[in-house]
Amino acid sequence: MSSHADHTTVIVGAGPAGLTAALSLARYRHPVTVVDSPRAPRNSASPGVHGHVGMDGVPPAEFRARAWRELSRYPTVERLEADAESVSLAPGGGFRVTLGGGETVEARSVLLATGVVDVHPADVDGFAACWGRSVIHCPFCHGEENAGGRWATVADNAELAALSAVAFRAWSEDTIAICQESMPGLETARATARSRGGDVVAGTVRRLHHREGALHAVELADGRILERQTLVWTPRQQQQPLVQRAAEELKLTVDDAGFVGVDASQCTSVPGLYAAGDLTSRWKQSVTVSTAAGAAAADAIHMSALLGAVHH
């Protein structure tokens, strides 16, 4: 048994949700262990955090460094730099978190704050080099830094394709959507986009022409070249392996895309097991949303501990 077994809460993940929850619990003087993976975080390619007041433009690494400096002042917080392999029910109640080296941590409650995995297209040359810079997943997150020039978005449905002509007008006056030729409603989407000053191009992206990550053209499979400086592309996402295993073994409620279902307190379908951040929602992913969810989870965890103490 690990020497950390007496900790009341284990937080798996040290992004905005996990770090905020740790800070909130620390200020309740609530014992907490944060399992912080040594692997590069999902937003490491981004030049800055945006839209979060007081932190706008701060590099992700500096965001985390500041958070850990703040947390280091609280004696009830412990940081474990390790990968979590599994979360299971502990024989005596609560949960057991197993780490990569075989060490285990037991806790009354666990917060999953692992984020998700972006599945990048393997057959698009140049995608990785441009990702987080000129290939962006969210205009709110990176639009201001890419304002001006010509934009394109990769769309997989007609509604999004038609909307893109006006949805990105705040950042670019020249926007198009790129869609598969087999997309239902393609011609209607094209007519709608053109009526709004945009266009829909049918084709498959095969190569991104760039200079050190700065996009200047999109090449399609048939050889056509589209001069574009920004490409909005939201890739498929999947859960971290730990969360996938927990969802299967603990029978967590998940939606059709695999995102973990939670209630207003961020509790999953298993009492005592919470989830906060990007792993709970495909379309509500931002630093601000994640920090709010982390704080809500911390409040619920602390209240649950108080009620448990009263009942005992």
Side-chain angles (χ1 to χ4, degrees):
M1 183 63 63
S2 164
S3 61
H4 307 289
D6 60 343
H7 280 275
T8 305
T9 298
V10 171
I11 297 173
V12 183
L19 292 171
T20 300
L23 180 59
S24 297
L25 288 170
R27 294 195 59 78
Y28 284 127
R29 295 192 166 186
H30 184 110
V32 57
T33 292
V34 182
V35 181
D36 182 8
S37 173
R39 291 175 295 163
R42 177 185 172 210
N43 66 351
S44 58
S46 174
V49 169
H50 298 293
H52 193 65
V53 66
M55 289 284 186
D56 192 49
V58 172
E62 176 60 21
F63 179 97
R64 288 186 292 274
R66 290 186 189 183
W68 281 118
R69 285 197 297 270
E70 294 169 359
L71 287 169
S72 69
R73 300 196 295 262
Y74 294 90
T76 61
V77 177
E78 180 173 11
R79 179 185 188 181
L80 292 181
E81 294 189 71
D83 283 315
E85 295 294 328
S86 67
V87 177
S88 57
L89 297 176
F95 301 90
R96 175 177 292 163
V97 179
T98 302
L99 308 181
E103 182 182 18
T104 62
V105 187
E106 292 195 3
R108 182 182 301 142
S109 57
V110 170
L111 171 61
L112 299 175
T114 60
V116 292
V117 178
D118 291 311
V119 182
H120 292 179
D123 55 351
V124 178
D125 183 34
F127 187 95
C130 296
W131 177 246
R133 294 189 57 190
S134 53
V135 175
I136 63 177
H137 77 291
C138 168
F140 175 77
C141 299
H142 302 288
E144 183 66 25
E145 288 65 41
N146 288 273
R150 298 175 173 178
W151 280 38
T153 182
V154 174
D156 58 6
N157 66 80
E159 182 179 3
L160 177 60
L163 183 63
S164 65
V166 293
F168 306 141
R169 191 60 53 80
W171 301 284
S172 172
E173 296 183 357
D174 185 347
T175 63
I176 63 172
I178 302 173
C179 309
Q180 295 293 323
E181 294 181 359
S182 59
M183 184 187 75
L186 173 63
E187 291 304 324
T188 299
R190 177 179 285 130
T192 301
R194 287 178 175 174
S195 71
R196 296 170 172 172
D199 201 358
V200 173
V201 176
T204 301
V205 177
R206 280 290 174 260
R207 183 182 179 190
L208 302 180
H209 296 262
H210 65 94
R211 300 181 184 89
E212 298 183 349
L215 181 70
H216 60 85
V218 176
E219 181 177 338
L220 304 183
D222 60 8
R224 283 177 292 166
I225 302 292
L226 308 174
E227 292 186 5
R228 298 286 126 177
Q229 287 75 50
T230 300
L231 181 63
V232 181
W233 192 334
T234 305
R236 183 173 65 86
Q237 295 179 345
Q238 64 186 28
Q239 296 288 1
Q240 295 280 1
L242 164 76
V243 178
Q244 292 179 339
R245 287 191 289 270
E248 181 177 349
E249 294 170 8
L250 299 177
K251 309 302 181 186
L252 298 182
T253 298
V254 298
D255 66 15
D256 292 341
F259 289 89
V260 178
V262 294
D263 62 16
S265 70
Q266 302 299 134
C267 190
T268 70
S269 54
V270 175
L273 181 60
Y274 298 79
D278 294 351
L279 76 163
T280 67
S281 174
R282 179 67 181 87
W283 300 111
K284 295 181 180 180
Q285 297 185 356
S286 73
V287 171
T288 302
V289 170
S290 292
T291 55
D299 285 346
I301 290 168
H302 179 64
M303 184 57 65
S304 177
L306 283 180
L307 293 175
V310 169
H311 292 157
H312 284 85

